[in-house]
Amino acid sequence: GVTQRGHRVCVNRRAMDADRLILVGAVSYHYHAGFGGGRKTLVPGLAARETIAYNHSLTLDPDHDRLRPGVEIGKLDGNLVAEEMLDGARLCDPDIIINTVLTPGGDLVGLFTGELDAAHRAACRMVEIIDRVDLTQTADFVIASAGGASDWVQAHKALFNAHRAIRTGGRVILDAPCPEGLGDERFRTWLRKPDLATLYRELRQFPEVNGQTALSTRIRGADTILVTKLPETDREDLGIRTAPDMETAVRMAVRETTVDGRKPTCWFMPEARHTVPFVT
């Protein structure tokens, strides 16, 4: 079918030919779609390449080098990416969804079943109880852990979240060993683009999630000190300053964020992949 915005949606034929269509997945925050799970399991989860590409293209402002206003973590309504996903998923008319919510440690805390949008929104409300942290102010620097992230593509979630908790000009210290490297050679290709303008331009032409992660890494990595076990080639491609250990990284952050002798403020995020700060 065609969404309200006139885009044709193509989904895997085996799903469409099934007698019953049941969507199963976990719900968590997502930095473009607002939340994972629900609608996202179908579009882009079971969608054709051209449908996925169109949806990813909606993340960028068509006229300026920035994200499209409204496309943000924790937001469904007024988020063009999330709304287009819902339009596309409703064309497929799933019978029921089964969505779970997990703690950062992987324990089950919620099970939500029912209509595509209603059950998903109920799960999203549980995610906000579990993973949302409201701050009254940002900090000069944040010490964050990427936890068990096996590669940089996964560790990037921790960087994205931690960066939300620092002031303009602040620093993120990210502990991310990444034993399996960057995670995707396509991602490396995007990392090696010469500058942000090139990334924005090429993402408008060839929208791809690896490119969006590279863009976010480039933007937020400028304020980051990384403690990692990545090999030298991977560190060079990331373009993020590194420190050999946490003590050195903290000394660097303190030196760079101390203004007029005032002791800098700091937040700790031991589960940064699963903790999303919102400054209220």
Side-chain angles (χ1 to χ4, degrees), residues 21-32:
L21 184 56
I22 301 169
L23 307 184
V24 180
V27 179
S28 60
Y29 279 115
H30 189 275
Y31 64 109
H32 290 156

Side-chain angles (χ1 to χ4, degrees), residues 31-32 56 151-154 156 182-193 199 203 206-218:
Y31 64 109
H32 290 156
H56 286 164
D151 56 47
W152 178 259
V153 171
Q154 294 300 314
H156 161 262
L182 294 180
D184 192 311
E185 286 305 308
R186 285 287 303 160
F187 174 62
R188 188 189 303 276
T189 300
W190 284 101
L191 278 178
R192 289 178 171 176
K193 301 299 179 184
L199 270 169
L203 276 171
F206 311 103
E208 183 184 322
V209 68
N210 280 317
Q212 291 165 351
T213 303
L215 176 64
S216 177
T217 296
R218 185 76 62 87

Side-chain angles (χ1 to χ4, degrees), residues 139-162:
D140 292 308
F141 68 95
V142 169
I143 299 176
S145 171
S150 59
D151 56 47
W152 178 259
V153 171
Q154 294 300 314
H156 161 262
K157 299 174 184 177
L159 172 60
F160 180 92
N161 292 341

Side-chain angles (χ1 to χ4, degrees), residues 141-145 162 166 171-175 246 250 253 266-270 272:
F141 68 95
V142 169
I143 299 176
S145 171
I166 62 169
R171 295 289 182 270
V172 172
I173 299 173
L174 181 62
D175 179 33
M246 185 58 67
V250 171
C266 176
W267 293 117
F268 293 90
M269 294 180 64

Side-chain angles (χ1 to χ4, degrees), residues 15-245:
M16 294 298 91
D17 288 345
D19 293 331
R20 290 286 182 265
L21 184 56
I22 301 169
L23 307 184
V24 180
V27 179
S28 60
Y29 279 115
H30 189 275
Y31 64 109
H32 290 156
F35 294 89
R39 63 192 80 180
K40 196 170 183 292
T41 310
L42 255 174
V43 179
L46 290 173
R49 184 182 300 273
E50 60 268 26
T51 299
I52 296 171
Y54 174 75
N55 190 263
H56 286 164
S57 74
L58 298 175
T59 62
L60 297 183
D61 188 308
D63 302 313
H64 305 281
D65 285 351
R66 63 179 185 181
L67 287 182
R68 185 187 297 267
V71 174
E72 57 189 74
I73 196 167
K75 184 172 184 176
L76 295 176
D77 298 324
N79 180 337
L80 189 57
V81 172
E83 291 177 347
E84 181 71 11
M85 285 179 180
L86 182 59
D87 281 354
R90 278 183 163 152
L91 291 171
C92 306
D93 194 26
D95 293 275
I96 192 172
I97 71 167
I98 303 172
N99 276 177
T100 59
V101 177
L102 307 176
T103 67
D107 295 325
L108 179 67
V109 291
L111 178 66
F112 300 85
T113 69
E115 189 271 333
L116 172 67
D117 191 39
H120 181 235
R121 287 178 185 268
C124 293
R125 289 192 289 272
M126 174 65 80
V127 169
E128 295 209 289
I129 294 171
I130 299 297
D131 293 338
R132 177 178 176 131
V133 177
D134 288 301
L135 305 176
T136 57
Q137 62 182 11
T138 52
D140 292 308
F141 68 95
V142 169
I143 299 176
S145 171
S150 59
D151 56 47
W152 178 259
V153 171
Q154 294 300 314
H156 161 262
K157 299 174 184 177
L159 172 60
F160 180 92
N161 292 341
H163 197 270
R164 293 171 59 85
I166 62 169
R167 64 167 173 79
T168 301
R171 295 289 182 270
V172 172
I173 299 173
L174 181 62
D175 179 33
C178 301
E180 296 180 15
L182 294 180
D184 192 311
E185 286 305 308
R186 285 287 303 160
F187 174 62
R188 188 189 303 276
T189 300
W190 284 101
L191 278 178
R192 289 178 171 176
K193 301 299 179 184
D195 50 42
L196 283 174
T198 302
L199 270 169
Y200 278 111
R201 184 178 66 253
E202 295 194 12
L203 276 171
R204 288 192 180 94
Q205 296 174 324
F206 311 103
E208 183 184 322
V209 68
N210 280 317
Q212 291 165 351
T213 303
L215 176 64
S216 177
T217 296
R218 185 76 62 87
I219 292 170
R220 293 167 178 83
D223 300 319
T224 301
I225 303 167
L226 184 61
V227 181
T228 185
K229 295 181 180 178
L230 284 168
E232 184 177 357
T233 300
D234 290 350
R235 284 182 275 135
E236 289 176 354
D237 286 341
L238 278 178
I240 299 176
R241 283 190 304 160
T242 61
D245 51 57

